Amino acid sequence: MGVDHYENFPVASVLLPKRLRAPVVALYRFCREADDIADEGDDAPEVRQAALDARRQDLDRVERGENPLLPHYEAVARLIREHRLPVQPFRDLLDAFRQDTHKTRYTDFGELMNYCRRSANPVGRLVLTLAGAATPRNLALSDGICSSLQLINFLQDVAVDWRKGRVYLPQDELARFGLTEASIAAGDAGAAWGRMMRFQVERTRRLLQAGAPLARQVGGRLGMELRMVVMGGDRILEKILKADGDVFRRRPVLETGDWPLMAWRALTR
């Protein structure tokens, strides 16, 4: 796809049931391409928005039973039709990516969670639909995991997002801890920053743990995949705490040595 990306978790790992791997890869490619339109390169916001709007229009065509105009969206059409997936989650994802082209600040946590509802939760909901496990309880648990993973990504990427002109930390919470965006610009990981990040981590961990029972609900290989995802998210949160919230000097990521620990925790917790 032309851009190298670090991902916190492997896409369609060997833990995933074989029948789910190809559709999950197709879903990832849909998300990755649209996200790159919003994030990568030097195009003006209106150019990015037009490109995303063209993809939304193709989703409308697919929903009407028509063929998409974009050649590479034929794969998206097959994914939706062959697996009888709802189109709205795909629209929600595109809406979130489009929002990134013009919205760069979030007033409070509720506003940020509304973004997560569209940028992250649809992925989990679509995977559960693919697996035939999209019960109301499972969907609610999945939302907790997906939103927390999105928040974890925001926490580890504070410096990365700043360079893109974005701040995903709620503005009212920065103010509550006596911080301004000048702290981000300066990479100032002082005491106030550490307290603020600790608050963010603890809340995000509660959300992640609230969704963790989904692994037991679905069971099998998908359940083990979910356990690894949860343990990976928790591991990144541990690293943020260990660094006292300093994500400026070294972005916390999963490294080779983390995987055996995560696997052990997934099997024993």
Side-chain angles (χ1 to χ4, degrees), residues 43-228:
D43 288 338
E46 56 270 20
V47 174
R48 300 175 188 272
Q49 292 163 15
L52 292 168
D53 289 345
R55 282 148 180 79
R56 184 184 176 99
Q57 290 162 10
D58 259 356
L59 286 179
D60 294 341
R61 292 185 183 94
V62 172
E63 190 174 45
R64 293 194 300 264
E66 302 171 6
N67 292 326
L69 297 183
L70 297 168
H72 63 283
Y73 257 47
E74 293 173 1
V76 177
R78 285 195 302 273
L79 174 67
I80 292 170
R81 290 167 181 165
E82 290 177 7
H83 298 278
R84 299 182 180 181
L85 297 178
V87 175
Q88 188 57 46
F90 292 88
R91 288 197 189 97
D92 288 342
L93 288 163
L94 289 181
D95 284 347
F97 299 140
R98 194 182 195 281
Q99 181 170 306
D100 277 333
T101 68
H102 62 86
K103 185 173 178 61
T104 61
R105 301 293 187 275
Y106 290 82
T107 303
D108 53 34
F109 187 64
E111 195 173 53
L112 190 62
M113 285 297 287
N114 183 50
Y115 174 82
C116 294
R117 178 184 62 80
R118 290 171 290 121
S119 70
N121 296 3
V123 175
R125 287 175 166 254
L126 287 168
V127 171
L128 286 177
T129 301
L130 287 167
T135 66
R137 173 170 168 74
N138 286 352
L139 292 172
L141 293 172
S142 174
D143 287 349
I145 292 175
C146 291
S147 286
S148 65
L149 294 177
Q150 178 72 88
L151 294 172
I152 290 167
N153 186 247
F154 291 154
L155 294 178
Q156 71 185 145
D157 274 357
V158 170
V160 174
D161 290 328
W162 176 256
R163 291 194 292 270
K164 296 177 181 177
R166 300 177 189 158
V167 177
Y168 289 102
L169 296 168
Q171 296 289 303
D172 64 338
E173 293 176 1
L174 286 173
R176 186 192 313 168
F177 286 90
L179 296 165
T180 68
E181 291 185 11
S183 302
I184 303 175
D188 180 5
W193 180 264
R195 288 193 295 272
M196 186 276 298
M197 288 292 280
R198 193 173 307 114
F199 169 78
Q200 302 292 334
V201 166
E202 290 171 354
R203 178 174 58 193
T204 301
R205 178 171 275 160
R206 289 194 298 271
L207 184 60
L208 181 65
Q209 292 173 345
L214 179 62
R216 293 193 297 272
Q217 288 287 114
V218 300
R221 296 174 69 94
L222 178 58
M224 180 54 68
E225 174 95 347
L226 287 169
R227 286 189 186 92
M228 286 295 289

